[in-house]
Amino acid sequence: MDQQTELLKTALYDLHVELGAKMVPFAGYDMPVQYPLGVKGEHLHTRAKAGLFDVSHMGQVRLTGENRVAELEKLVPGDIAILKPGRTRYSAFTQDDGTILDDLMITNAGDSLFLVINAACKDDDIVHMRANLGDGVSLEEIDDRALLALQGPDAAKVLARFAPAVADLKFMSFAEIEIAGSPCFVTRSGYTGEDGYEISVPNADAEALARKLLAEEEVEAIGLGARDSLRLEAGLCLYGNDIDTTTTPVEGDLNWIINKRRREEGGFKGSDVILDQLANGADRKRVGIKPEGKAPAREHTQILNTDGEEIGEITSGGFGPTVDGPIAMGYVAIEFSKPGTKVDLMVRGKARPAEVVELPFAPHRYFRG
Amino acid sequence: MTKKFSQEHEWIELEDGVATVGITDYAQQSLGDIVYVELPEVGKKLTKDGDAAVVESVKAASDVYAPLDGEIVEINEELDANPGLVNEAPEAEGWFFKMTLSDESQLDELMDEAAYKEFVEGL
């Protein structure tokens, strides 16, 4: 990103500064990486009680028009037609070569599809959709709404104090609910592995809502640093690290996003490549990796087999405060992808033992009703 | 006893010919929660401004440079079990290593406490 370009600010910028956040550039926005509580404290607080995240840098898009479902299905491998009103699905925009342009959330909001896309991919995604969605679909960028995430075991209890209806929502469900007098789009979802909500709120009401939530004793403000360690412990992909335009959904261990009907019918970008990999296997796979010692292995760390041959690379790696040790994800050649496989990680020129493990590192605690 | 500071935010304290080295309070505050410290082996020869140790926070790894030429004579084994000591007491129990100095006159090139304080305020 051009250093000269002025960073964008979310509706909560002044609040972040007031709370003492350390602000950093992220995807063109000036965002809080941590507050005075610190990354580790924020991470542990979210798993113990509830954390409030500003994720307004992410893109919110509405698709309307009679062909919206069929046209969107040309760009994603998910079964969108089967998605009932008020239901949300994780998916990905695939490209002709089978690789991933972005991952996203798709909600059937009744009269429209509501999409949440990554901040760094927002512009590309919109160009991609405008170029590829055919007649009978209109795309509207929603830029007058902030996006807050309230995550953690106390999230439901806290949010229900302002809007009792949120208690009834199940994981990956959506409703338009008034919260503290503001018309919000609420999804019971998130990216921490915890129960919680993502709340799309008009920019004008965002700061007031954030202040109300932060005034609840269970809630602390959480920055991007802890958001990253939480999602890594939950085994969730960070676009740009763990999945990108060099990886397919099959390589990324995201077979579950390719729904049954789409496997039979194809008809999405890259479906020939992706369905062939589904049938015949891919050469490599994303796996969890647990270093045996205490040294974290960061992204781009080489992964070796026990004979010293390179078999892959770490794509996300760091320290998991809940696990209380180093954790990582990366790609390995398929013959080394079985949990329990011993590997070595080259950290600062030294081979250090590690093991391929099942994801997630911290169990998911979603509310499935 | 002389305590000096480097521009790389290390402190060094000389006592009876052995220098104790760690990172400053300013350094630990900017790094955040420290989760791992990789220390050099005893006997390792250090060159001023060369790599000496690595300190890792939840987010990132940062190099710690040798403030002076010399040789490692002791490392703080406590940091392996409790790296958070660096956050809690960076200029006391959170020390990194002890070294002999090849040339004590190099100490003169480092800042004293007042100069370091001014240096940090100017950042």
Side-chain angles (χ1 to χ4, degrees), chain B residues 76-120:
Chain B
N76 187 354
E77 311 268 4
E78 278 295 303
L79 296 186
D80 193 46
N82 187 7
L85 274 181
V86 180
N87 294 116
E88 290 157 24
E91 300 185 28
E93 290 89 347
W95 61 278
F96 277 31
F97 52 79
K98 297 183 189 225
M99 62 191 290
T100 53
L101 302 183
S102 314
D103 176 7
E104 284 191 17
S105 74
Q106 283 184 334
L107 275 172
D108 300 339
E109 297 162 28
L110 300 176
M111 291 174 272
D112 63 16
E113 191 143 19
Y116 178 70
K117 194 164 169 259
E118 203 173 314
F119 170 70
V120 164

mmCIF file of all heavy atoms in Angstrom, chain B residues 76-120:
data_model
loop_
_atom_site.group_PDB
_atom_site.id
_atom_site.type_symbol
_atom_site.label_atom_id
_atom_site.label_comp_id
_atom_site.label_asym_id
_atom_site.label_seq_id
_atom_site.Cartn_x
_atom_site.Cartn_y
_atom_site.Cartn_z
ATOM 1 N N ASN B 76 19.913 -16.477 31.653
ATOM 2 C CA ASN B 76 18.828 -16.514 32.630
ATOM 3 C C ASN B 76 17.897 -17.676 32.312
ATOM 4 O O ASN B 76 16.966 -17.549 31.510
ATOM 5 C CB ASN B 76 18.072 -15.183 32.617
ATOM 6 C CG ASN B 76 17.047 -15.109 33.734
ATOM 7 O OD1 ASN B 76 16.824 -16.085 34.449
ATOM 8 N ND2 ASN B 76 16.420 -13.958 33.878
ATOM 9 N N GLU B 77 18.137 -18.824 32.943
ATOM 10 C CA GLU B 77 17.362 -20.049 32.679
ATOM 11 C C GLU B 77 15.889 -19.877 33.048
ATOM 12 O O GLU B 77 15.025 -20.550 32.497
ATOM 13 C CB GLU B 77 17.944 -21.228 33.488
ATOM 14 C CG GLU B 77 19.463 -21.397 33.383
ATOM 15 C CD GLU B 77 19.876 -22.352 32.274
ATOM 16 O OE1 GLU B 77 18.990 -22.816 31.548
ATOM 17 O OE2 GLU B 77 21.096 -22.608 32.146
ATOM 18 N N GLU B 78 15.616 -18.977 33.984
ATOM 19 C CA GLU B 78 14.231 -18.738 34.430
ATOM 20 C C GLU B 78 13.312 -18.329 33.275
ATOM 21 O O GLU B 78 12.113 -18.593 33.298
ATOM 22 C CB GLU B 78 14.209 -17.596 35.460
ATOM 23 C CG GLU B 78 14.561 -18.018 36.866
ATOM 24 C CD GLU B 78 13.531 -18.974 37.454
ATOM 25 O OE1 GLU B 78 12.343 -18.585 37.507
ATOM 26 O OE2 GLU B 78 13.900 -20.094 37.821
ATOM 27 N N LEU B 79 13.889 -17.653 32.265
ATOM 28 C CA LEU B 79 13.067 -17.120 31.183
ATOM 29 C C LEU B 79 12.430 -18.221 30.343
ATOM 30 O O LEU B 79 11.425 -17.999 29.678
ATOM 31 C CB LEU B 79 13.890 -16.194 30.280
ATOM 32 C CG LEU B 79 14.425 -14.922 30.928
ATOM 33 C CD1 LEU B 79 15.098 -14.050 29.881
ATOM 34 C CD2 LEU B 79 13.321 -14.149 31.642
ATOM 35 N N ASP B 80 13.023 -19.415 30.370
ATOM 36 C CA ASP B 80 12.462 -20.523 29.602
ATOM 37 C C ASP B 80 11.096 -20.904 30.160
ATOM 38 O O ASP B 80 10.127 -21.067 29.424
ATOM 39 C CB ASP B 80 13.421 -21.717 29.638
ATOM 40 C CG ASP B 80 13.028 -22.759 28.607
ATOM 41 O OD1 ASP B 80 12.741 -22.356 27.453
ATOM 42 O OD2 ASP B 80 12.971 -23.950 28.955
ATOM 43 N N ALA B 81 11.011 -21.010 31.468
ATOM 44 C CA ALA B 81 9.752 -21.386 32.106
ATOM 45 C C ALA B 81 8.816 -20.177 32.243
ATOM 46 O O ALA B 81 7.601 -20.327 32.218
ATOM 47 C CB ALA B 81 10.021 -21.984 33.483
ATOM 48 N N ASN B 82 9.393 -19.010 32.382
ATOM 49 C CA ASN B 82 8.577 -17.833 32.673
ATOM 50 C C ASN B 82 9.044 -16.602 31.883
ATOM 51 O O ASN B 82 9.595 -15.657 32.443
ATOM 52 C CB ASN B 82 8.629 -17.560 34.189
ATOM 53 C CG ASN B 82 7.665 -16.467 34.596
ATOM 54 O OD1 ASN B 82 6.856 -15.995 33.779
ATOM 55 N ND2 ASN B 82 7.748 -16.053 35.852
ATOM 56 N N PRO B 83 8.775 -16.617 30.545
ATOM 57 C CA PRO B 83 9.209 -15.487 29.716
ATOM 58 C C PRO B 83 8.538 -14.171 30.121
ATOM 59 O O PRO B 83 9.052 -13.094 29.844
ATOM 60 C CB PRO B 83 8.822 -15.902 28.290
ATOM 61 C CG PRO B 83 7.830 -17.000 28.445
ATOM 62 C CD PRO B 83 8.111 -17.672 29.752
ATOM 63 N N GLY B 84 7.387 -14.266 30.803
ATOM 64 C CA GLY B 84 6.669 -13.078 31.236
ATOM 65 C C GLY B 84 7.453 -12.229 32.229
ATOM 66 O O GLY B 84 7.119 -11.069 32.462
ATOM 67 N N LEU B 85 8.532 -12.807 32.807
ATOM 68 C CA LEU B 85 9.413 -12.033 33.692
ATOM 69 C C LEU B 85 9.968 -10.798 32.997
ATOM 70 O O LEU B 85 10.222 -9.779 33.637
ATOM 71 C CB LEU B 85 10.609 -12.890 34.139
ATOM 72 C CG LEU B 85 10.455 -13.789 35.360
ATOM 73 C CD1 LEU B 85 11.770 -14.516 35.601
ATOM 74 C CD2 LEU B 85 10.064 -12.967 36.586
ATOM 75 N N VAL B 86 10.141 -10.916 31.666
ATOM 76 C CA VAL B 86 10.673 -9.784 30.912
ATOM 77 C C VAL B 86 9.683 -8.617 30.952
ATOM 78 O O VAL B 86 10.081 -7.458 31.024
ATOM 79 C CB VAL B 86 11.002 -10.184 29.453
ATOM 80 C CG1 VAL B 86 11.552 -8.993 28.681
ATOM 81 C CG2 VAL B 86 11.989 -11.340 29.423
ATOM 82 N N ASN B 87 8.372 -8.937 30.931
ATOM 83 C CA ASN B 87 7.365 -7.882 31.044
ATOM 84 C C ASN B 87 7.271 -7.351 32.472
ATOM 85 O O ASN B 87 7.121 -6.153 32.695
ATOM 86 C CB ASN B 87 5.985 -8.390 30.622
ATOM 87 C CG ASN B 87 5.901 -8.746 29.154
ATOM 88 O OD1 ASN B 87 5.699 -9.898 28.801
ATOM 89 N ND2 ASN B 87 6.090 -7.768 28.287
ATOM 90 N N GLU B 88 7.358 -8.268 33.430
ATOM 91 C CA GLU B 88 7.135 -7.879 34.822
ATOM 92 C C GLU B 88 8.309 -7.100 35.410
ATOM 93 O O GLU B 88 8.111 -6.147 36.155
ATOM 94 C CB GLU B 88 6.897 -9.128 35.686
ATOM 95 C CG GLU B 88 5.572 -9.815 35.403
ATOM 96 C CD GLU B 88 5.596 -11.281 35.814
ATOM 97 O OE1 GLU B 88 6.413 -11.652 36.688
ATOM 98 O OE2 GLU B 88 4.813 -12.064 35.229
ATOM 99 N N ALA B 89 9.530 -7.549 35.098
ATOM 100 C CA ALA B 89 10.703 -6.930 35.719
ATOM 101 C C ALA B 89 11.857 -6.901 34.716
ATOM 102 O O ALA B 89 12.859 -7.597 34.861
ATOM 103 C CB ALA B 89 11.105 -7.727 36.954
ATOM 104 N N PRO B 90 11.681 -6.097 33.627
ATOM 105 C CA PRO B 90 12.668 -6.145 32.536
ATOM 106 C C PRO B 90 14.082 -5.768 32.981
ATOM 107 O O PRO B 90 15.051 -6.293 32.442
ATOM 108 C CB PRO B 90 12.117 -5.122 31.525
ATOM 109 C CG PRO B 90 11.225 -4.228 32.311
ATOM 110 C CD PRO B 90 10.619 -5.111 33.378
ATOM 111 N N GLU B 91 14.177 -4.880 33.957
ATOM 112 C CA GLU B 91 15.516 -4.414 34.336
ATOM 113 C C GLU B 91 15.965 -5.029 35.662
ATOM 114 O O GLU B 91 16.839 -4.511 36.341
ATOM 115 C CB GLU B 91 15.547 -2.878 34.322
ATOM 116 C CG GLU B 91 15.208 -2.378 32.910
ATOM 117 C CD GLU B 91 15.311 -0.883 32.695
ATOM 118 O OE1 GLU B 91 16.098 -0.230 33.384
ATOM 119 O OE2 GLU B 91 14.597 -0.376 31.810
ATOM 120 N N ALA B 92 15.338 -6.171 36.030
ATOM 121 C CA ALA B 92 15.733 -6.899 37.236
ATOM 122 C C ALA B 92 15.695 -8.405 36.947
ATOM 123 O O ALA B 92 16.545 -8.901 36.216
ATOM 124 C CB ALA B 92 14.806 -6.524 38.394
ATOM 125 N N GLU B 93 14.663 -9.121 37.458
ATOM 126 C CA GLU B 93 14.608 -10.588 37.284
ATOM 127 C C GLU B 93 14.493 -11.006 35.825
ATOM 128 O O GLU B 93 14.753 -12.153 35.489
ATOM 129 C CB GLU B 93 13.426 -11.183 38.062
ATOM 130 C CG GLU B 93 13.573 -11.149 39.562
ATOM 131 C CD GLU B 93 13.035 -9.844 40.149
ATOM 132 O OE1 GLU B 93 12.782 -8.876 39.388
ATOM 133 O OE2 GLU B 93 12.880 -9.778 41.384
ATOM 134 N N GLY B 94 14.098 -10.082 34.957
ATOM 135 C CA GLY B 94 13.932 -10.419 33.544
ATOM 136 C C GLY B 94 15.195 -10.215 32.712
ATOM 137 O O GLY B 94 15.120 -10.074 31.493
ATOM 138 N N TRP B 95 16.368 -10.236 33.361
ATOM 139 C CA TRP B 95 17.628 -10.095 32.607
ATOM 140 C C TRP B 95 17.805 -11.254 31.630
ATOM 141 O O TRP B 95 17.197 -12.319 31.800
ATOM 142 C CB TRP B 95 18.826 -9.986 33.560
ATOM 143 C CG TRP B 95 19.037 -11.192 34.456
ATOM 144 C CD1 TRP B 95 18.393 -11.451 35.624
ATOM 145 C CD2 TRP B 95 19.940 -12.297 34.245
ATOM 146 N NE1 TRP B 95 18.822 -12.639 36.162
ATOM 147 C CE2 TRP B 95 19.781 -13.187 35.348
ATOM 148 C CE3 TRP B 95 20.865 -12.610 33.261
ATOM 149 C CZ2 TRP B 95 20.517 -14.377 35.472
ATOM 150 C CZ3 TRP B 95 21.597 -13.803 33.384
ATOM 151 C CH2 TRP B 95 21.413 -14.669 34.473
ATOM 152 N N PHE B 96 18.608 -11.053 30.595
ATOM 153 C CA PHE B 96 18.771 -12.064 29.541
ATOM 154 C C PHE B 96 20.030 -12.912 29.746
ATOM 155 O O PHE B 96 19.962 -14.121 29.832
ATOM 156 C CB PHE B 96 18.844 -11.391 28.155
ATOM 157 C CG PHE B 96 17.499 -11.064 27.568
ATOM 158 C CD1 PHE B 96 16.420 -10.752 28.379
ATOM 159 C CD2 PHE B 96 17.301 -11.073 26.190
ATOM 160 C CE1 PHE B 96 15.176 -10.447 27.843
ATOM 161 C CE2 PHE B 96 16.062 -10.780 25.635
ATOM 162 C CZ PHE B 96 15.002 -10.457 26.452
ATOM 163 N N PHE B 97 21.181 -12.242 29.786
ATOM 164 C CA PHE B 97 22.435 -13.005 29.905
ATOM 165 C C PHE B 97 23.523 -12.158 30.553
ATOM 166 O O PHE B 97 23.376 -10.934 30.686
ATOM 167 C CB PHE B 97 22.907 -13.516 28.533
ATOM 168 C CG PHE B 97 22.990 -12.466 27.458
ATOM 169 C CD1 PHE B 97 24.062 -11.592 27.391
ATOM 170 C CD2 PHE B 97 21.977 -12.366 26.501
ATOM 171 C CE1 PHE B 97 24.149 -10.629 26.396
ATOM 172 C CE2 PHE B 97 22.046 -11.383 25.498
ATOM 173 C CZ PHE B 97 23.127 -10.516 25.447
ATOM 174 N N LYS B 98 24.592 -12.845 30.993
ATOM 175 C CA LYS B 98 25.770 -12.158 31.511
ATOM 176 C C LYS B 98 26.931 -12.421 30.571
ATOM 177 O O LYS B 98 27.046 -13.521 30.017
ATOM 178 C CB LYS B 98 26.102 -12.668 32.924
ATOM 179 C CG LYS B 98 24.989 -12.355 33.917
ATOM 180 C CD LYS B 98 25.319 -12.785 35.329
ATOM 181 C CE LYS B 98 24.055 -12.640 36.174
ATOM 182 N NZ LYS B 98 24.246 -12.015 37.454
ATOM 183 N N MET B 99 27.765 -11.415 30.376
ATOM 184 C CA MET B 99 28.893 -11.544 29.448
ATOM 185 C C MET B 99 30.131 -10.859 30.010
ATOM 186 O O MET B 99 30.033 -9.917 30.797
ATOM 187 C CB MET B 99 28.526 -10.950 28.076
ATOM 188 C CG MET B 99 28.212 -9.461 28.100
ATOM 189 S SD MET B 99 27.473 -8.841 26.534
ATOM 190 C CE MET B 99 28.868 -8.958 25.406
ATOM 191 N N THR B 100 31.277 -11.410 29.609
ATOM 192 C CA THR B 100 32.526 -10.690 29.889
ATOM 193 C C THR B 100 32.738 -9.733 28.719
ATOM 194 O O THR B 100 32.275 -9.994 27.608
ATOM 195 C CB THR B 100 33.720 -11.660 29.965
ATOM 196 O OG1 THR B 100 33.742 -12.445 28.762
ATOM 197 C CG2 THR B 100 33.614 -12.592 31.151
ATOM 198 N N LEU B 101 33.413 -8.635 28.955
ATOM 199 C CA LEU B 101 33.610 -7.646 27.898
ATOM 200 C C LEU B 101 35.031 -7.717 27.357
ATOM 201 O O LEU B 101 35.982 -7.829 28.127
ATOM 202 C CB LEU B 101 33.336 -6.242 28.441
ATOM 203 C CG LEU B 101 31.933 -6.017 29.025
ATOM 204 C CD1 LEU B 101 31.785 -4.562 29.452
ATOM 205 C CD2 LEU B 101 30.849 -6.397 28.025
ATOM 206 N N SER B 102 35.162 -7.680 26.026
ATOM 207 C CA SER B 102 36.488 -7.689 25.418
ATOM 208 C C SER B 102 37.176 -6.349 25.637
ATOM 209 O O SER B 102 38.389 -6.279 25.739
ATOM 210 C CB SER B 102 36.388 -7.945 23.911
ATOM 211 O OG SER B 102 35.509 -8.997 23.669
ATOM 212 N N ASP B 103 36.338 -5.306 25.685
ATOM 213 C CA ASP B 103 36.916 -3.968 25.746
ATOM 214 C C ASP B 103 35.966 -3.061 26.537
ATOM 215 O O ASP B 103 34.982 -2.564 25.999
ATOM 216 C CB ASP B 103 37.099 -3.451 24.303
ATOM 217 C CG ASP B 103 37.600 -2.013 24.262
ATOM 218 O OD1 ASP B 103 37.923 -1.464 25.338
ATOM 219 O OD2 ASP B 103 37.659 -1.464 23.158
ATOM 220 N N GLU B 104 36.304 -2.894 27.814
ATOM 221 C CA GLU B 104 35.386 -2.133 28.677
ATOM 222 C C GLU B 104 35.192 -0.691 28.219
ATOM 223 O O GLU B 104 34.183 -0.064 28.550
ATOM 224 C CB GLU B 104 35.874 -2.169 30.138
ATOM 225 C CG GLU B 104 35.583 -3.505 30.796
ATOM 226 C CD GLU B 104 35.796 -3.492 32.306
ATOM 227 O OE1 GLU B 104 35.863 -2.390 32.889
ATOM 228 O OE2 GLU B 104 35.891 -4.587 32.883
ATOM 229 N N SER B 105 36.153 -0.197 27.424
ATOM 230 C CA SER B 105 36.036 1.202 26.984
ATOM 231 C C SER B 105 34.849 1.393 26.032
ATOM 232 O O SER B 105 34.376 2.496 25.819
ATOM 233 C CB SER B 105 37.332 1.663 26.330
ATOM 234 O OG SER B 105 37.449 1.082 25.049
ATOM 235 N N GLN B 106 34.342 0.256 25.433
ATOM 236 C CA GLN B 106 33.162 0.349 24.558
ATOM 237 C C GLN B 106 31.932 0.875 25.322
ATOM 238 O O GLN B 106 31.007 1.413 24.721
ATOM 239 C CB GLN B 106 32.821 -1.028 23.966
ATOM 240 C CG GLN B 106 33.725 -1.445 22.819
ATOM 241 C CD GLN B 106 33.272 -2.771 22.217
ATOM 242 O OE1 GLN B 106 32.644 -3.581 22.890
ATOM 243 N NE2 GLN B 106 33.602 -2.988 20.962
ATOM 244 N N LEU B 107 31.959 0.677 26.636
ATOM 245 C CA LEU B 107 30.843 1.166 27.461
ATOM 246 C C LEU B 107 30.630 2.666 27.294
ATOM 247 O O LEU B 107 29.510 3.163 27.397
ATOM 248 C CB LEU B 107 31.128 0.868 28.945
ATOM 249 C CG LEU B 107 30.750 -0.501 29.479
ATOM 250 C CD1 LEU B 107 31.291 -0.665 30.888
ATOM 251 C CD2 LEU B 107 29.239 -0.712 29.473
ATOM 252 N N ASP B 108 31.718 3.358 27.026
ATOM 253 C CA ASP B 108 31.634 4.814 26.902
ATOM 254 C C ASP B 108 30.776 5.250 25.714
ATOM 255 O O ASP B 108 30.284 6.364 25.663
ATOM 256 C CB ASP B 108 33.048 5.420 26.747
ATOM 257 C CG ASP B 108 33.923 5.094 27.956
ATOM 258 O OD1 ASP B 108 33.351 4.775 29.017
ATOM 259 O OD2 ASP B 108 35.163 5.129 27.819
ATOM 260 N N GLU B 109 30.621 4.324 24.734
ATOM 261 C CA GLU B 109 29.828 4.669 23.544
ATOM 262 C C GLU B 109 28.327 4.569 23.827
ATOM 263 O O GLU B 109 27.510 4.997 23.026
ATOM 264 C CB GLU B 109 30.173 3.731 22.380
ATOM 265 C CG GLU B 109 31.630 3.844 21.926
ATOM 266 C CD GLU B 109 32.079 2.634 21.107
ATOM 267 O OE1 GLU B 109 31.223 2.007 20.449
ATOM 268 O OE2 GLU B 109 33.276 2.310 21.159
ATOM 269 N N LEU B 110 27.961 3.950 24.958
ATOM 270 C CA LEU B 110 26.539 3.780 25.270
ATOM 271 C C LEU B 110 26.027 4.961 26.099
ATOM 272 O O LEU B 110 26.795 5.768 26.607
ATOM 273 C CB LEU B 110 26.333 2.469 26.033
ATOM 274 C CG LEU B 110 26.768 1.207 25.268
ATOM 275 C CD1 LEU B 110 26.601 -0.024 26.151
ATOM 276 C CD2 LEU B 110 25.993 1.039 23.969
ATOM 277 N N MET B 111 24.699 5.025 26.223
ATOM 278 C CA MET B 111 24.085 6.149 26.932
ATOM 279 C C MET B 111 23.962 5.852 28.423
ATOM 280 O O MET B 111 23.747 4.705 28.811
ATOM 281 C CB MET B 111 22.664 6.383 26.386
ATOM 282 C CG MET B 111 22.628 6.918 24.973
ATOM 283 S SD MET B 111 20.919 6.989 24.344
ATOM 284 C CE MET B 111 20.728 5.358 23.655
ATOM 285 N N ASP B 112 24.038 6.894 29.228
ATOM 286 C CA ASP B 112 23.706 6.704 30.647
ATOM 287 C C ASP B 112 22.192 6.865 30.793
ATOM 288 O O ASP B 112 21.488 7.158 29.818
ATOM 289 C CB ASP B 112 24.493 7.666 31.541
ATOM 290 C CG ASP B 112 24.158 9.123 31.275
ATOM 291 O OD1 ASP B 112 23.113 9.395 30.632
ATOM 292 O OD2 ASP B 112 24.942 9.996 31.695
ATOM 293 N N GLU B 113 21.702 6.661 31.998
ATOM 294 C CA GLU B 113 20.252 6.616 32.213
ATOM 295 C C GLU B 113 19.559 7.909 31.758
ATOM 296 O O GLU B 113 18.511 7.858 31.102
ATOM 297 C CB GLU B 113 19.953 6.343 33.698
ATOM 298 C CG GLU B 113 18.498 6.033 33.938
ATOM 299 C CD GLU B 113 18.279 4.967 35.010
ATOM 300 O OE1 GLU B 113 19.212 4.728 35.814
ATOM 301 O OE2 GLU B 113 17.190 4.385 35.028
ATOM 302 N N ALA B 114 20.157 9.033 32.080
ATOM 303 C CA ALA B 114 19.548 10.320 31.724
ATOM 304 C C ALA B 114 19.501 10.494 30.203
ATOM 305 O O ALA B 114 18.484 10.913 29.639
ATOM 306 C CB ALA B 114 20.333 11.466 32.361
ATOM 307 N N ALA B 115 20.587 10.115 29.532
ATOM 308 C CA ALA B 115 20.635 10.253 28.070
ATOM 309 C C ALA B 115 19.635 9.306 27.406
ATOM 310 O O ALA B 115 18.981 9.656 26.414
ATOM 311 C CB ALA B 115 22.047 9.971 27.565
ATOM 312 N N TYR B 116 19.508 8.087 27.943
ATOM 313 C CA TYR B 116 18.559 7.127 27.378
ATOM 314 C C TYR B 116 17.124 7.630 27.541
ATOM 315 O O TYR B 116 16.296 7.524 26.626
ATOM 316 C CB TYR B 116 18.723 5.742 28.014
ATOM 317 C CG TYR B 116 17.721 4.731 27.485
ATOM 318 C CD1 TYR B 116 17.806 4.251 26.176
ATOM 319 C CD2 TYR B 116 16.675 4.266 28.285
ATOM 320 C CE1 TYR B 116 16.880 3.349 25.673
ATOM 321 C CE2 TYR B 116 15.749 3.357 27.790
ATOM 322 C CZ TYR B 116 15.853 2.901 26.488
ATOM 323 O OH TYR B 116 14.928 2.008 25.998
ATOM 324 N N LYS B 117 16.845 8.183 28.710
ATOM 325 C CA LYS B 117 15.499 8.707 28.985
ATOM 326 C C LYS B 117 15.140 9.782 27.949
ATOM 327 O O LYS B 117 14.045 9.785 27.393
ATOM 328 C CB LYS B 117 15.478 9.285 30.412
ATOM 329 C CG LYS B 117 14.087 9.551 30.937
ATOM 330 C CD LYS B 117 14.100 9.740 32.454
ATOM 331 C CE LYS B 117 12.749 10.265 32.951
ATOM 332 N NZ LYS B 117 12.746 11.696 33.231
ATOM 333 N N GLU B 118 16.111 10.627 27.684
ATOM 334 C CA GLU B 118 15.897 11.697 26.700
ATOM 335 C C GLU B 118 15.706 11.105 25.297
ATOM 336 O O GLU B 118 14.846 11.538 24.536
ATOM 337 C CB GLU B 118 17.123 12.603 26.719
ATOM 338 C CG GLU B 118 16.873 13.997 26.202
ATOM 339 C CD GLU B 118 18.112 14.879 26.419
ATOM 340 O OE1 GLU B 118 18.678 14.850 27.539
ATOM 341 O OE2 GLU B 118 18.504 15.542 25.458
ATOM 342 N N PHE B 119 16.521 10.070 25.007
ATOM 343 C CA PHE B 119 16.440 9.385 23.703
ATOM 344 C C PHE B 119 15.036 8.799 23.491
ATOM 345 O O PHE B 119 14.424 8.969 22.436
ATOM 346 C CB PHE B 119 17.511 8.289 23.660
ATOM 347 C CG PHE B 119 17.418 7.353 22.493
ATOM 348 C CD1 PHE B 119 17.718 7.788 21.199
ATOM 349 C CD2 PHE B 119 17.057 6.020 22.681
ATOM 350 C CE1 PHE B 119 17.643 6.920 20.122
ATOM 351 C CE2 PHE B 119 16.980 5.144 21.599
ATOM 352 C CZ PHE B 119 17.266 5.600 20.329
ATOM 353 N N VAL B 120 14.514 8.135 24.517
ATOM 354 C CA VAL B 120 13.196 7.503 24.420
ATOM 355 C C VAL B 120 12.094 8.555 24.277
ATOM 356 O O VAL B 120 11.156 8.391 23.500
ATOM 357 C CB VAL B 120 12.944 6.595 25.654
ATOM 358 C CG1 VAL B 120 11.474 6.248 25.784
ATOM 359 C CG2 VAL B 120 13.790 5.331 25.561
#
